[in-house]
Amino acid sequence: MAQHQQLRNKMVTQTMTKKTILKSVTVNLVTLFLFCLLITPAVQAKVFNAKTFTLDNGLEVVVVENDRAPVITHMIWYKVGAADEIAGFSGMAHYLEHLLFKGTEKVASGDFSKIVKQNGGNDNAFTSYDYTAYFQSISNDHLEKMMEMEADRMMNAKPPATHYTSEKNVVLEERRQNTENDPRALFNEQMRSMLFVNHPYGTPIIGWMDEIKTYEWKDVKEFYDKWYAPNNAVLVISGAVTVGQVKKLAEKTYGTLPRKDIPKRNRPVLPPSIAETELHMEHSSIHQASFQRSYLVPSYATNRKDALALDILQEILSGGPTARLYKSLVIEQKIAISAGLSYSSDGLDYGSLWIYGKPTKYKTLTDVKNALMIEIQKVIDNGVTEQEVLDAIRRVQDSAVYNRDSLAGPAMIIGRGLTTGQNLDSIENWPEDIAAITVQDVQNAAQKYLNSHSPWIRAPISGFISPKILEGETK
């Protein structure tokens, strides 16, 4: 499972920023549920028993009460991300996230995080394709201060001019270190751009290097003024606080902000393709060859039932050392040293699914590819067993036991869901819905989305990465 998660985070995309301690925002909804669910298929109960209300200015507020410790997680989620940027200004949403830590008229540059830390808390932020979020975890007696500061920077950001260039350089260095200097990251970035042709999901969240250099604060402020508003945000608070307390404080802080006319999020449609694409790369810094293949699939927002089925398929094929792919390719056939499948399900427009493997010393990338394709075809042709489905459902639910009382987990799950097309009921009822998935549902999903001979919208993209053999060296 650790190998599975590590490769998933590497392959899918850069969904978090320099400021985040949550480096796997690409984690899909199922993985996040594992942090805080404790419910069996037979028990039809809500996961969080969250309470919600909406302020007069349109701010949606969700409260998850948990009084086991006198602490809270306070998160503000904006329904805007990298996919909402103007063409040619890639990385702007991420750059804005950086600049929102550089002060307002009330809070000096850098003081936001200092105040949080001085009061014993921690804060951070992250940008994804469909949302941008800011959070603090701190003792509950400081909640009002956190709400006051966050409400202030929702509309009053005023970074000093000296930080425009310096923070731009921070972002450029972040891209340089995490992508430009990593051939695997560059390769995965290129694969994603091929999968999401004519769609902003194919553009890296951090932006293209040349485009990051072009825009100025006036461009970023226009983006900020357009999208940052209470009626385009979701406030989620989890911890030792009541909904009554939150409502009183929310009206006092966020409730004074005016609503705005938020533009419609117009996204381009992916053009169909029937021809498979292969990318090949050799690089001297690569020491282990690897194969990966990406498929366009639906997300929870676009087809919930099929997304649930794909989540179960992921668990059956890649849910640990006894799962089908690892057991077949690594243990039994000894073709690969690792193999798995990763499903990213939280996109507002589309999801993506990746299969991957690394060959053993005496096997080739083609051997790995063929073996993976055989396993996928088995599911398409013969389906999965009733026991496999029941075991998969039980595993994803049982894994939650150890983290039932996480504070950040509920806020992450709810905020992510509400900013990517879901509603609170669908989030709360996830365990019941996942338990209803059948053997036929899983096979139908595999047939519809993983059949290379009849691709769904776009044919899959295959990637082959190999070490580059320099002159004088031997394999």
Side-chain angles (χ1 to χ4, degrees):
M1 180 67 79
Q3 291 174 332
H4 167 98
Q5 187 62 51
Q6 181 181 7
L7 191 52
R8 171 192 300 176
N9 295 343
K10 193 68 174 177
M11 289 195 310
V12 177
T13 187
Q14 301 164 323
T15 54
M16 293 296 185
T17 74
K18 181 185 85 64
K19 282 191 162 291
T20 185
I21 56 174
L22 305 171
K23 283 292 182 184
S24 58
V25 116
T26 59
V27 180
N28 62 40
L29 188 59
V30 167
T31 306
L32 286 171
F33 264 108
L34 302 184
F35 281 77
C36 48
L37 298 180
L38 178 55
I39 187 168
T40 63
V43 180
Q44 296 184 1
K46 292 185 176 181
V47 178
F48 306 113
N49 289 312
K51 300 175 176 65
T52 184
F53 60 90
T54 302
L55 297 183
D56 291 341
N57 61 8
L59 178 67
E60 184 178 3
V61 185
V62 181
V63 182
V64 179
E65 299 178 358
N66 182 343
D67 61 1
R68 293 205 173 188
V71 293
I72 54 94
T73 290
H74 168 264
M75 298 191 78
I76 187 76
W77 295 73
Y78 294 97
K79 297 178 182 179
V80 62
D84 301 297
E85 295 162 344
I86 298 172
F89 283 171
S90 63
M92 181 177 286
H94 171 235
Y95 178 49
L96 172 59
E97 177 223 308
H98 277 243
L99 290 177
L100 284 196
F101 286 86
K102 298 306 176 182
T104 66
E105 289 188 356
K106 293 182 179 179
V107 180
S109 177
D111 280 2
F112 193 111
S113 295
K114 288 180 183 177
I115 292 171
V116 175
K117 289 178 174 60
Q118 286 169 357
N119 288 285
N122 64 78
D123 71 319
N124 230 303
F126 49 91
T127 302
S128 190
Y129 284 107
D130 300 307
Y131 54 78
T132 309
Y134 304 80
F135 72 91
Q136 303 84 41
S137 292
I138 199 166
S139 61
N140 58 357
D141 55 329
H142 296 299
L143 175 59
E144 182 175 354
K145 183 63 175 178
M146 300 302 104
M147 297 173 79
E148 179 184 295
M149 292 197 301
E150 201 66 84
D152 178 36
R153 70 175 174 182
M154 181 183 287
M155 289 189 170
N156 302 310
K158 195 174 182 180
T162 54
H163 287 287
Y164 303 163
T165 301
S166 63
E167 207 59 32
K168 179 75 70 69
N169 289 334
V170 169
V171 173
L172 290 169
E173 182 59 27
E174 183 180 342
R175 176 172 173 91
R176 193 173 293 113
Q177 289 185 3
N178 295 336
T179 306
E180 301 293 329
N181 294 337
D182 184 346
R184 287 188 186 273
L186 282 171
F187 187 80
N188 293 333
E189 186 176 79
Q190 186 173 346
M191 281 195 67
R192 187 176 179 90
S193 70
M194 296 298 294
L195 182 65
F196 292 106
V197 170
N198 192 47
H199 193 278
Y201 286 0
T203 300
I205 291 168
I206 196 171
W208 301 113
M209 183 70 84
D210 290 339
E211 292 186 357
I212 297 171
K213 298 175 182 178
T214 60
Y215 42 79
E216 304 295 338
W217 168 242
K218 62 179 179 61
D219 304 311
V220 180
K221 190 175 188 307
E222 184 178 341
F223 182 84
Y224 169 64
D225 290 340
K226 178 189 293 186
W227 296 104
Y228 276 59
N231 53 312
N232 197 42
V234 179
L235 174 64
V236 187
I237 299 176
S238 173
V241 66
T242 67
V243 66
Q245 292 170 328
V246 170
K247 188 171 185 179
K248 181 178 179 181
L249 293 176
E251 289 174 341
K252 180 180 178 181
T253 54
Y254 292 101
T256 62
L257 301 173
R259 64 189 302 139
K260 294 180 180 178
D261 292 329
I262 303 299
K264 183 179 179 181
R265 303 171 86 175
N266 293 314
R267 303 280 181 82
V269 176
L270 279 170
S273 73
I274 58 173
E276 290 193 24
T277 301
E278 287 191 359
L279 282 71
H280 296 258
M281 183 186 75
E282 292 184 354
H283 199 282
S284 58
S285 69
I286 298 295
H287 302 292
Q288 172 63 54
S290 64
F291 168 79
Q292 53 202 46
R293 185 176 175 92
S294 60
Y295 296 82
L296 185 71
V297 295
S299 64
Y300 269 81
T302 57
N303 191 325
R304 181 175 177 80
K305 183 176 180 180
D306 284 357
L308 289 163
L310 289 170
D311 273 330
I312 294 302
L313 177 62
Q314 173 183 237
E315 183 64 25
I316 291 172
L317 292 183
S318 194
T322 60
R324 283 196 183 193
L325 295 183
Y326 189 90
K327 183 179 179 182
S328 176
L329 273 70
V330 178
I331 298 176
E332 296 176 349
Q333 299 184 65
K334 295 180 172 48
I335 291 174
I337 61 172
S338 65
L341 178 151
S342 171
Y343 172 40
S344 178
S345 62
D346 63 354
L348 186 62
D349 300 330
Y350 302 98
S352 62
L353 184 148
W354 298 65
I355 59 173
Y356 52 87
K358 296 181 178 181
T360 56
K361 185 176 181 180
Y362 299 107
K363 296 295 182 178
T364 67
L365 290 176
T366 300
D367 294 330
V368 171
K369 175 189 174 182
N370 291 340
L372 285 168
M373 293 299 98
I374 288 172
E375 295 301 321
I376 296 297
Q377 196 62 43
K378 286 179 182 178
V379 179
I380 292 173
D381 293 340
N382 306 316
V384 295
T385 68
E386 185 75 30
Q387 193 61 50
E388 283 180 313
V389 172
L390 292 175
D391 289 346
I393 293 170
R394 188 185 68 249
R395 284 198 302 271
V396 299
Q397 294 177 338
D398 287 351
S399 296
V401 172
Y402 305 104
N403 295 289
R404 178 68 176 97
D405 298 314
S406 165
L407 287 176
M412 278 291 299
I413 296 164
I414 292 170
R416 185 191 301 272
L418 294 180
T419 53
T420 54
Q422 299 189 68
N423 58 51
L424 191 57
D425 283 342
S426 66
I427 296 168
E428 291 275 28
N429 296 329
W430 180 87
E432 180 182 345
D433 294 341
I434 199 77
I437 293 301
T438 67
V439 167
Q440 193 60 54
D441 292 332
V442 175
Q443 185 177 13
N444 288 347
Q447 291 174 340
K448 184 175 182 179
Y449 302 112
L450 304 185
N451 188 347
S452 300
H453 303 296
S454 179
W456 183 71
I457 302 180
R458 296 192 62 77
I461 313 295
S462 295
F464 301 78
I465 307 175
S466 304
K468 185 175 184 179
I469 308 301
L470 302 177
E471 186 177 352
E473 293 182 338
T474 57
K475 290 187 178 181

